[in-house]
Amino acid sequence: MRKITKVCSYSTKYYTWLQGLGASDHVEYTAAFRFYWDVVMNLFYCQEGLCAYTEKKLCPKHFYSADKWDNGKYQRRNYYPKKPKVKGELEHFDTKLKPKQGWLWTNLFMVDSDINSKGKGMLEIDPILKPDAPNYDEFLLFDYDLDKNIFLAKSVLPIADKNKINPVLDNIINFDSVIEERRLFFAPLLKLVEFGKSWNNITVEQFPTSFELVKRQKNKPIV
Amino acid sequence: MKITHITLNNFLNFQAKLKIDLTYPKGHPKVGKPLDKICFIGQSGTGKTTLLNLIKYFTCEDGDYDKQCFDKAKIKNKSVEILFRVGNDTFSKVSTDVPFQFNGVDYSRKPAKPIEDLSVFIRKELGAKLKNRTHKIISFPFSVVGPQNIINNNDEPQKLINPIKGDLISDSYKEKDTWDFTSENIKYIWQIVFDHVSEYISEYQAKEIEFSHNIIKNKISNVDKLREEFEKWAENNPNPIKELADKCLNPILEYFSLEVETDINNYPLKSTTKERYIIIKGKNDGKPVDYPFLSTGTKQIMLTAIPLFYLRPKESIILFDQPEASLYPNIQWLLPKSYLDIAPNNNQFFFATHSPVVASAFDPWEIVELKFDEKTGKVYRREFYDTTKPRNEKSYILNPKLLRWDSNYKKLFDLNRQGNEERRISLRKLAEMDAEIKGESIDPKKKAKLIDEYMKLAALLDWNID
């Protein structure tokens, strides 16, 4: 669950509309909303196509490359007359804001649909785990157990913080299917290293936090 | 009433004096009380279905159930004793020489007192204590989706009624003791549901018409008041389809990407209700799915969940034989919890299964694994706790809830193989490649090619290669 720098730099028409609303209620949250794809694709740009929670790859880069916007509007109809075939769905970090402020940029993330429906459900995530919060730093919050392919709260954290993190680990980040995907992600990498490749020469397209934590573990000098 | 022990003594192929304890172990908050749910597992022929039938026989005696499934002549004097608890008192039924009869023992007295006429005793002495119970037993056989239960869009309500049961009218079904869907036509319950739903739809539509007429008669100024009245009526007369959707079907149908249509306005007028009674629609596209096109698994869920929901069992015994039939594993693991959620009123559930996924929903003390003794061929219960110590929650050494599902296959279902012969050969090839790649004198080009081959084969083996 890496840090996300969320800047709405491409979908500027949506952002101007949003700012113009001030404190007023938003229009109903629906996929038919005129700025729906503007939000989705700008978020994917900020998240580099990854799920905000699990870091699973959801969207190839060409869907959110700069040329897909014109005059602050995502040109969905020009490039993808049918719906773009990407995975994931919009997630309201604070679900309480969904009814009246369903299009609030700072409250939205793109996440894996499966995890969102089956894992997260109605789970409220504590603000200390909001990936775009200014003080958020995943490397101060998580450790990674490569044997089990699971994240855990850093052992040095206070119990109160661990209690905030653990439900998110149990229901989202360490959801069974994600553990399995990370196992299949790491297995060939570990073999390549065993066959002589350096961790520093490996680049990855998904699961960057677990990869970075494993790399740090493996590169740590043996004392 | 819940069962606490089943003792089998020289009964069929079961080991002599086999005592099956169905109570919570020490250390558990419900220590000594009968289990709320039990799972029978074991190889084919070990007697899982026989146990279900025995419970049915025990519960119904000569009542209204499918007697074809049980050979009463096999029950000899004292070969079966079933202990059950009513409140805090324990009683038992002990088989006699006379087929279809039990004697009783009242263990609530000290010393225990034989009960001379069990049926009189149950009716008179236990009657008051059992008054909260709705039905004695509800039994779902293996695969309820048989030809007799196929639901078609064109079924007319009156044809759904099993003629034998046709004299059951109005609410009398609520009093019926035994529901054995081995013989009972599940469609009978559907008829009750359809009547209920159709009646509501008719009333709703009549109210709507009344509302429209009143608008015309009273002119526009009274619309808000009339609407309020209509909404009040709707509030006092909750939509039964919505209850069925929310509390029964939708939580499971979600996994089939289906849901129940709850908007009454999308239901046909009464004159055409034979077309559809409860509309099932696609969750994504909202399009209704005709019953014949529902999957066998969906029908299986509907044919079991709806009767279970509408019978509203309370303190009843509920039997499921292989509930996983026709269902994909991703639904199987939801079954025990789903059925318990649908019928939450202090019932005792028995499941017989061949599915490690279903079994993984149970605590180890809730599992009765039946095994053949290799020497004698007799069936015994394999205990999951360290039998050299007293039975205690902490003495269990195997817990299906904590195992991976493939481990459940190995540990619970005796599948002592990883996979097919081909897998073993491929693992050996992979190990050979591994050694060659790591060899000192290997040519770099060959190494790259071998690594590529290695990666492909390892992926085929799902990287479970250790």
Side-chain angles (χ1 to χ4, degrees):
Chain A
M1 198 166 167
R2 69 170 170 174
K3 187 173 179 68
I4 296 168
T5 306
K6 233 161 72 177
V7 182
C8 195
S9 50
Y10 287 127
S11 298
T12 49
K13 276 201 172 157
Y14 148 75
Y15 202 67
T16 307
W17 167 83
L18 181 70
Q19 285 180 315
L21 285 178
S24 311
D25 287 357
H26 293 188
V27 291
E28 190 190 357
Y29 177 79
T30 152
F33 178 50
R34 63 191 157 121
F35 291 126
Y36 178 83
W37 289 104
D38 297 77
V39 178
V40 167
M41 288 305 170
N42 208 140
L43 280 172
F44 268 140
Y45 169 76
C46 301
Q47 297 174 204
E48 294 183 296
L50 305 185
C51 166
Y53 297 149
T54 64
E55 300 179 1
K56 191 175 141 182
K57 188 82 176 170
L58 300 177
C59 177
K61 196 174 181 178
H62 65 86
F63 281 102
Y64 54 83
S65 55
D67 58 303
K68 300 294 185 303
W69 275 267
D70 185 29
N71 200 18
K73 183 93 184 82
Y74 185 73
Q75 300 299 302
R76 201 268 293 175
R77 286 183 200 284
N78 288 350
Y79 290 98
Y80 310 106
K82 294 175 184 175
K83 279 197 285 188
K85 284 188 179 172
V86 296
K87 296 171 189 164
E89 56 192 43
L90 273 174
E91 145 79 348
H92 294 81
F93 185 84
D94 182 349
T95 50
K96 293 189 291 299
L97 296 176
K98 188 174 175 180
K100 292 191 173 177
Q101 293 192 290
W103 296 104
L104 194 63
W105 172 249
T106 51
N107 195 42
L108 291 167
F109 293 95
M110 284 307 293
V111 301
D112 181 7
S113 320
D114 201 36
I115 301 301
N116 205 26
S117 61
K118 292 174 188 164
K120 182 173 181 286
M122 295 306 288
L123 179 75
E124 291 291 339
I125 302 179
D126 191 274
I128 67 162
L129 289 171
K130 193 160 187 279
D132 62 343
N135 296 329
Y136 179 84
D137 183 343
E138 65 273 34
F139 297 107
L140 298 177
L141 295 172
F142 300 111
D143 271 331
Y144 193 71
D145 183 326
L146 183 60
D147 290 337
K148 301 177 189 67
N149 281 299
I150 58 172
F151 279 96
L152 55 158
K154 263 206 158 355
S155 57
V156 293
L157 288 173
I159 297 284
D161 283 355
K162 285 182 181 172
N163 289 341
K164 290 172 186 168
I165 294 171
N166 286 340
V168 177
L169 292 176
D170 295 343
N171 293 291
I172 302 173
I173 302 176
N174 292 335
F175 197 71
D176 270 6
S177 58
V178 187
I179 292 178
E180 182 62 8
E181 291 200 40
R182 284 199 299 261
R183 182 184 74 80
L184 292 172
F185 165 78
F186 274 112
L189 301 186
L190 290 166
K191 206 70 206 177
L192 283 174
V193 171
E194 200 181 315
F195 289 153
K197 193 157 184 164
S198 159
W199 280 100
N200 296 330
N201 291 336
I202 298 173
T203 52
V204 295
E205 287 200 344
Q206 55 178 349
F207 305 123
T209 305
S210 49
F211 176 76
E212 181 59 30
L213 287 166
V214 169
K215 194 165 92 175
R216 288 180 191 184
Q217 286 167 24
K218 298 287 180 186
N219 285 342
K220 207 171 168 181
I222 301 164
V223 186
Chain B
M1 184 178 81
K2 288 184 181 175
I3 296 170
T4 61
H5 295 84
I6 299 173
T7 304
L8 305 172
N9 198 8
N10 295 318
F11 176 64
L12 298 177
N13 205 27
F14 292 98
Q15 193 182 52
K17 295 181 184 172
L18 174 62
K19 191 171 183 180
I20 300 172
D21 188 340
L22 302 175
T23 62
Y24 288 96
K26 280 183 185 164
H28 192 281
K30 293 184 180 176
V31 55
K33 290 189 175 165
L35 296 168
D36 295 327
K37 65 181 198 296
I38 294 107
C39 179
F40 294 142
I41 62 170
Q43 272 181 42
S44 299
T46 46
K48 301 181 295 296
T49 304
T50 301
L51 283 182
L52 292 183
N53 287 333
L54 197 61
I55 291 165
K56 198 154 59 179
Y57 171 41
F58 151 80
T59 316
C60 304
E61 297 185 354
D62 56 351
D64 189 13
Y65 73 101
D66 177 26
K67 298 179 181 70
Q68 301 295 320
C69 67
F70 203 76
D71 184 357
K72 59 192 179 185
K74 295 278 194 264
I75 302 185
K76 305 289 183 195
N77 193 27
K78 294 184 180 171
S79 66
V80 177
E81 181 176 24
I82 296 186
L83 265 70
F84 58 99
R85 185 171 283 209
V86 179
N88 289 322
D89 298 330
T90 302
F91 308 91
S92 89
K93 282 184 173 184
V94 190
S95 60
T96 68
D97 264 338
V98 185
F100 271 80
Q101 257 194 348
F102 279 112
N103 279 338
V105 179
D106 180 353
Y107 285 101
S108 65
R109 302 182 189 211
K110 288 183 178 145
K113 188 187 169 212
I115 301 165
E116 284 174 10
D117 190 330
L118 192 65
S119 57
V120 172
F121 178 80
I122 289 176
R123 195 170 59 246
K124 287 190 174 172
E125 297 201 27
L126 295 186
K129 290 182 180 178
L130 291 170
K131 70 177 178 185
N132 285 335
R133 183 174 67 182
T134 50
H135 315 282
K136 274 184 186 174
I137 194 159
I138 300 172
S139 172
F140 294 98
F142 165 70
S143 185
V144 292
V145 190
Q148 78 283 9
N149 285 327
I150 288 172
I151 317 156
N152 292 308
N153 283 2
N154 294 326
D155 277 342
E156 291 188 32
Q158 60 271 27
K159 285 185 185 168
L160 296 175
I161 304 176
N162 181 332
I164 304 163
K165 311 295 170 196
D167 57 339
L168 283 171
I169 51 165
S170 68
D171 280 354
S172 61
Y173 75 93
K174 290 179 184 168
E175 310 296 325
K176 189 166 147 53
D177 257 358
T178 56
W179 288 96
D180 181 1
F181 292 113
T182 312
S183 59
E184 303 270 11
N185 194 331
I186 290 183
K187 284 184 178 178
Y188 174 68
I189 295 294
W190 279 73
Q191 167 64 23
I192 294 164
V193 178
F194 294 152
D195 280 352
H196 191 190
V197 168
S198 308
E199 200 178 313
Y200 180 82
I201 292 172
S202 303
E203 271 183 51
Y204 184 92
Q205 287 166 345
K207 278 279 163 194
E208 268 191 332
I209 292 166
E210 190 187 320
F211 175 65
S212 311
H213 284 176
N214 284 342
I215 288 175
I216 295 162
K217 272 199 288 182
N218 293 302
K219 300 192 180 162
I220 301 298
S221 61
N222 281 328
V223 167
D224 285 347
K225 190 170 173 271
L226 290 169
R227 180 176 288 118
E228 202 177 297
E229 274 174 30
F230 182 72
E231 283 170 359
K232 205 171 173 185
W233 177 88
E235 206 178 294
N236 292 330
N237 295 274
N239 175 358
I241 306 174
K242 182 142 184 13
E243 190 196 22
L244 179 76
D246 294 345
K247 294 184 182 170
C248 176
L249 288 179
N250 279 358
I252 314 184
L253 290 183
E254 185 186 347
Y255 286 82
F256 296 85
S257 294
L258 296 170
E259 63 184 3
V260 177
E261 175 61 80
T262 55
D263 185 350
I264 297 292
N265 294 310
N266 290 334
Y267 278 78
L269 291 169
K270 195 185 179 187
S271 59
T272 58
T273 49
K274 69 176 183 179
E275 292 299 321
R276 290 191 194 104
Y277 304 96
I278 296 166
I279 299 176
I280 304 295
K281 62 178 183 177
K283 200 161 182 258
N284 298 326
D285 60 11
K287 287 183 185 164
V289 184
D290 286 346
Y291 284 177
F293 296 105
L294 289 172
S295 71
T296 313
T298 313
K299 286 177 188 162
Q300 161 106 349
I301 291 292
M302 292 174 70
L303 285 166
T304 50
I306 291 181
L308 194 60
F309 182 67
Y310 268 89
L311 289 174
R312 301 187 195 276
K314 192 175 176 187
E315 295 178 23
S316 307
I317 288 174
I318 298 165
L319 311 177
F320 277 96
D321 195 1
Q322 296 185 48
E324 70 273 16
S326 312
L327 294 171
Y328 219 54
N330 70 334
I331 310 284
Q332 289 180 19
W333 75 280
L334 299 165
L335 286 178
K337 185 181 180 306
S338 300
Y339 286 135
L340 262 76
D341 286 347
I342 289 169
N345 294 315
N346 198 25
N347 300 299
Q348 189 177 37
F349 283 79
F350 289 84
F351 297 86
T353 185
H354 285 158
S355 163
V357 182
V358 171
S360 74
F362 293 82
D363 283 313
W365 44 86
E366 295 172 327
I367 295 210
V368 176
E369 182 183 1
L370 299 172
K371 287 188 80 124
F372 287 114
D373 184 291
E374 283 181 10
K375 286 179 188 165
T376 64
K378 295 282 183 186
V379 173
Y380 68 98
R381 179 187 185 180
R382 177 194 174 201
E383 299 289 2
F384 291 175
Y385 66 96
D386 180 354
T387 50
T388 61
K389 296 174 184 166
R391 181 172 166 262
N392 186 298
E393 197 184 22
K394 288 181 182 158
S395 61
Y396 279 83
I397 48 178
L398 191 61
N399 187 342
K401 279 186 173 173
L402 301 186
L403 291 172
R404 284 168 52 120
W405 285 325
D406 57 348
S407 297
N408 263 335
Y409 261 123
K410 280 189 268 183
K411 299 278 186 183
L412 264 70
F413 288 78
D414 299 332
L415 194 64
N416 293 320
R417 298 169 66 123
Q418 276 190 19
N420 292 335
E421 182 73 14
E422 286 82 351
R423 175 176 171 82
R424 207 162 59 236
I425 294 167
S426 296
L427 278 173
R428 194 217 342 116
K429 281 184 185 165
L430 202 72
E432 286 166 2
M433 275 193 258
D434 192 300
E436 200 174 343
I437 291 165
K438 288 174 187 166
E440 286 179 7
S441 56
I442 188 168
D443 169 69
K445 275 187 184 171
K446 190 179 179 190
K447 181 176 176 177
K449 189 169 171 273
L450 268 178
I451 288 176
D452 189 45
E453 280 177 33
Y454 185 100
M455 296 291 166
K456 283 177 186 161
L457 184 56
L460 284 171
L461 293 161
D462 197 30
W463 282 98
N464 279 313
I465 55 175
D466 296 327

